[in-house]
Amino acid sequence: MQSPSPAGILVLVVVLAAATAFGWWRRRHDGRLRAVRKRPSDADAPHRATLTALGVRPGERTLVQFSAPVCAPCRAARRVLADVAAHLDGVTVLEVGVDAHLDAARELDVWRTPTVLVVDGAGRIVRRAAGVPDRDELIAALTAGAAR
């Protein structure tokens, strides 16, 4: 039997380190709510039209979840959003299937499921999360006036 070469061991160590770093980064960022860049009010018009077509009603704070039929984390996100809506008055949850609304997903920059958009009463997307969002972080964002 041949002993492993030093170059082979080095490649293995580098691959394991890169995989560990990616896993750590992904775990820290998965499901985190992040603020959406503020835009001039006229730049929001196409998004508002798309959100309205998906069922977002003016004057309501809405949590929009983009899901796919084969997405296991989407079920967990659905439970979190339902729990948040049950605890807060005036919050609506809307689940959108990416398979049926692919154009809307592309326009709203949705590249993975679940993606959750926090829409304020004026129809602007103010926060978004890719992955299962944290319940307490969602409640804080909705009650702190970030999504009014």
Side-chain angles (χ1 to χ4, degrees), residues 3-30:
S3 65
S5 71
I9 292 173
L10 179 62
V11 168
L12 178 65
V13 169
V14 167
V15 168
L16 289 175
T20 301
F22 176 74
W24 177 80
W25 175 85
R26 174 90 183 245
R27 186 172 192 152
R28 290 197 32 93
H29 289 87
D30 195 41

Side-chain angles (χ1 to χ4, degrees), residues 44-138:
D44 285 331
H47 290 315
R48 284 191 191 134
T50 301
L51 291 169
T52 300
L54 293 173
V56 174
R57 292 180 287 212
E60 290 185 1
R61 295 179 294 164
T62 307
L63 298 171
V64 180
Q65 176 185 336
F66 282 86
S67 304
V70 295
C71 170
C74 293
R75 291 187 284 278
R78 186 180 306 122
R79 287 190 298 272
V80 169
L81 298 185
D83 186 42
V84 168
H87 282 83
L88 297 174
D89 292 331
V91 175
T92 303
V93 176
L94 179 64
E95 188 167 357
V96 177
V98 292
D99 52 342
H101 300 283
L102 193 54
D103 291 338
R106 285 181 182 149
E107 182 181 328
L108 296 171
D109 204 26
V110 173
W111 295 103
R112 65 178 273 218
T113 58
T115 292
V116 176
L117 306 177
V118 179
V119 182
D120 67 5
R124 292 181 307 247
I125 300 168
V126 293
R127 298 263 192 274
R128 68 184 301 130
V132 180
D134 180 69
R135 175 189 176 274
D136 295 332
E137 196 175 3
L138 271 176

